Amino acid sequence: MSSVDSGQATTASTSTFITALVFNVIVFGAEIAIFTIIRPYFKAIYEPRTYVPVPSKRIGPLTGTSSPFTWPLAVFRADYKDILRANGADAYFFVRFLRMMARIFFPMWTISWVTLLPITSVDTRVGSNTQLDLFIFGNIQPDKQIRYWAHLVFAWVFTFWIFYNIRREMTHFVTTRQQYLINPVHAKSVQANTMLVTGIPTKYLNPAALYELFKDMPGGVKRVWINRNMRNLPDIYDRRMAACGKLESAETKLLSIAAKAHLKAGNGASKDPEGRGGVPSVPQDQRPTHKLGFLGLLGEKVDSIDWARKEIALCNRLLADGRRALSKELHDPSATPQDELDYPMSDNHHEKAGGKVGKEAEDVKTQGYPAVSSAFITFNKQIAAHMAENILLHHEPYRMAQKYTEVSPMDVIWKNLGLNPYEMKVRMLMSYAATAGLIIFWSIPVAFVGLISNLHSLATTASWLNWIEDLPSPVIGILSGILPPVLLAVLMMLLPIVLRQFAIFEGIPKRSGVELSLMTRFFMFQVVHSFLIITISSGIVAALPELLKNPSSVPTLLAQKLPQASTFFLTYTILQGLSGTAGGFLQIVPLIVYYVKLFLLGSTPRAVYGIKYGARNVAWGTLFPGITLLVVIALVYSVISPIINGLACFTFFAFYQLYKYLFLYQFEQPPSSDTGGLFFPKAITHMFVGMYIQQICMAGLFFLARDQADKASSAPQGVLMIVLIAFTFLFQRLVSNSYGPLIHALPLSLADKTYTANMPPQSEPASPSHANGSETHEMSEAMPRKSDVKRTSSLHENEEYEGLTDRERVGNRAARVKSEEEYGFTHPAASRPQRVVWFPKDRLGLAEEEERGCVDMGVDCSVKDAEMNEKGKVDISGPPPDLVLVDE
């Protein structure tokens, strides 16, 4: 979605609209033609979902090789409902929203073009209005303003047509979301059965207390995860990840240097293992090196391979010590250091720690890891998590008040789990105050960019800038012609990043929650800066010459001139519908970036895998507001400038086909970030914003309308528009009250269809006082005997560190590679093993020697499914050795 430029709005006219239309049609045709020709040859860009996902989520080719030109028909016939299985509920409801908007605007288009266009243009003309300006609200002559009753009628009809569609779609949303949540594939995941609770008082910060608190939930508690202050372990974990990446890059570079030197020496592409007399070595001065200072530009210069191996071994040791200290703190606080297990690595695998490193190692063991005020509770029954979310957990204000279901381990923002409720409230106020400030003062940097674009006038106006005129013409051309659009593009790129950081600062504990918050913030910004300011400023600028001549004519002129801003938005809408859609199909930037990255950045097996098999996805927090901004523009001008209805219908239908294709054949949204469609109700709220703005604007235009005697001519219509605003508010409240409680949680009436874990048999016979056997089973499972509570919670907590235990059993080699979900809600720094250092096997045998060197230092590495040819080029035949692909 391109941004709206206020500078263009004031110059929009019929000629510019026609020019833009012709230009965009040409661009549309050219891009679609190119896409049609090249699509069959670039599967990695245009149909990656035919081979990249796990088999159960793959899709068949769009067209056969014998019919590459039939793709428009194939896209049109494709069933958008398949998106739900392929890409989750968020993608499905996004496409459904586009489909709904196309359906809404189709009858609005046909009816308004047949009736409203003649009403505003036949036998009436105001001022010098011509061409497109003949079809706007302000073209009704003072003596014919009875025609405004038609605008009022259509405003009411269109509004109630939108009401009908909103109610219909919300009913579908609730039903489909509930079916999606109870689908067995999703329902059995840890994400579907877990609730995150924040603001937990100290009294309840232990598994036994939480087991007791939730004992009455159906099926009982399966597992409790108390979150802890991990101190410096996350930093050590990040250091190890960075060192693993550095080692992969350095090892691959070393192998490439050796391969190219061998090829240059003319020794052939193969080697004789018996007669080569040893593996060829790379001279010391040619080995990969880097500096340890700022951005690798300053500081001590070190051998990259030796440094990375030592760094990984040190971080492994520190993390192992920290995990054992944490485990001991959880299970036996009175244990002495002698009670710890000996570290499984032999002494020659690590150096004696001293100085700063020695202090760090000592801190890891002794600093303590206190519990923070949050916990994850996994239930045996899915319905229990949703019931727990909707009950009052504590008798004090803000205590245990923030509850989140549908939490995935990969979606958690760990640093936000320890905030107390009052701090979160203060952070929220500060976050939205900063957002409001950014919206208000955003015009300052944009105005600065505008000043730079007009350096000649600036130098003439301000005498102290006369030196600019002395600069060479090419320099002035670059500063005023190239720099401003680049700066504006950078500003618009930074805006979502800043707003996303505001949401994170607020304390939201889920990345998907941050995107939901970003959607609201970014939409607010778009409406203010890309719509309201442009509409008002362009209308006032259009009326300014006559206002200066006759200041008393303000109401009449504004009523006539404000609608003229619609010409710019007509151009913007058709730009999105033509160039935006064709560009979405062609994907020229991802196509170029794919091969540039493969050529320049595909130096390691992991990088090659990420480029070839790393599917693209979208950020809902920025994509949805761009679409809902179009909705607001189209709704506001649907009666004021009816021509926009046809353009909006085409644009939404084109976007519907585009994103149906993208989510079926290209994009792959991670299931961990799927909210079950919660962006859809927010988009519906944005529709109400558009309706309110439309109704307020039309009420104002009715009140501003003047007849020949310069008296208000349409006050009754204005009053009825205010009545319509009241009806809209009441309908919104009705929708909120009726569907709001059903948006997040599953109802108890679906309990028999929700997931239930396989619970172990009861250790004791059921009490005879319980008449219902199933109830007895649930209660006995939910209420362990007090003698068992400590043992049970200890077992659960012990599982949090079994990743480390598995590794220790086999001397720092993972006994079994786990998927991310299997680690549960343990902090990655306290559970994840070292990422396997993956570099390619070469034809000289150097890779085997490097692999032995890594193992001797205690670094887990592999050359599986990766190979380097005689020219130093890396290719892969499988995924990374530590990646688990889970099929349904």
Side-chain angles (χ1 to χ4, degrees), residues 201-422:
T202 305
K203 174 184 176 181
Y204 291 99
L205 277 178
N206 64 83
L210 290 175
Y211 269 91
E212 181 68 17
L213 181 65
F214 292 102
K215 66 183 180 181
D216 294 323
M217 292 295 101
V221 176
K222 181 178 182 180
R223 186 146 182 189
V224 172
W225 316 75
I226 302 291
N227 298 306
R228 294 187 168 267
N229 184 348
M230 304 306 294
R231 305 292 190 183
N232 60 344
L233 291 188
D235 293 334
I236 298 172
Y237 178 79
D238 292 339
R239 279 171 48 192
R240 186 176 68 177
M241 289 290 287
C244 288
K246 175 66 74 175
L247 184 56
E248 286 182 346
S249 178
E251 292 283 13
T252 307
K253 185 176 181 180
L254 179 73
L255 298 177
S256 177
I257 293 172
K260 291 177 180 178
H262 187 262
L263 184 65
K264 186 177 181 180
N267 291 328
S270 62
K271 60 181 177 64
D272 179 7
E274 301 296 331
R276 62 187 172 87
V279 177
S281 61
V282 176
Q284 185 66 34
D285 61 345
Q286 295 183 25
R287 288 173 61 86
T289 60
H290 71 283
K291 293 183 179 180
L292 299 178
F294 178 72
L295 296 178
L297 303 175
L298 306 173
E300 179 186 359
K301 189 175 184 179
V302 295
D303 183 287
S304 297
I305 293 176
D306 292 342
W307 176 86
R309 288 174 178 173
K310 293 176 182 177
E311 178 76 356
I312 294 171
L314 173 62
C315 291
N316 282 340
R317 174 61 186 244
L318 293 174
L319 288 173
D321 288 345
R323 292 169 183 177
R324 279 202 301 274
L326 178 56
S327 182
K328 182 181 67 174
E329 184 177 315
L330 289 172
H331 303 147
D332 189 2
S334 63
T336 62
Q338 288 76 16
D339 295 322
E340 296 183 17
L341 296 173
D342 292 332
Y343 193 70
M345 297 167 58
S346 56
D347 290 337
N348 63 341
H349 289 165
H350 57 84
E351 299 179 342
K352 296 284 186 180
K356 182 179 179 181
V357 174
K359 184 180 184 302
E360 186 176 30
E362 186 64 25
D363 288 344
V364 164
K365 295 179 182 179
T366 61
Q367 61 192 350
Y369 303 94
V372 297
S373 59
S374 64
F376 296 94
I377 298 97
T378 301
F379 295 89
N380 285 307
K381 288 194 171 186
Q382 182 185 12
I383 193 65
H386 291 266
M387 291 176 64
E389 183 189 21
N390 285 278
I391 60 176
L392 197 60
L393 296 181
H394 202 271
H395 56 278
E396 293 181 6
Y398 293 145
R399 297 296 184 184
M400 305 178 75
Q402 295 296 322
K403 295 159 286 185
Y404 308 85
T405 52
E406 291 294 322
V407 185
S408 169
M410 288 80 79
D411 195 40
V412 175
I413 302 176
W414 298 98
K415 66 180 181 180
N416 282 350
L417 295 181
L419 304 177
N420 68 62
Y422 293 95

Side-chain angles (χ1 to χ4, degrees), residues 43 50 59 67 175 189 197 238 240 281 285 339 382 384 389 416 497 501 508 653 666 671 708 728 736 770 847:
K43 292 285 186 182
T50 59
I59 193 168
S67 55
T175 303
S189 66
V197 183
D238 292 339
R240 186 176 68 177
S281 61
D285 61 345
D339 295 322
Q382 182 185 12
E389 183 189 21
N416 282 350
I497 297 175
Q501 290 303 312
I508 299 172
F653 179 77
Q666 291 191 22
Q708 307 96 308
T728 303
S736 177
H770 287 31

Side-chain angles (χ1 to χ4, degrees), residues 617-631:
N617 53 51
V618 300
W620 298 117
T622 52
L623 177 61
F624 241 126
I627 296 296
T628 52
L629 173 65
L630 269 178
V631 172

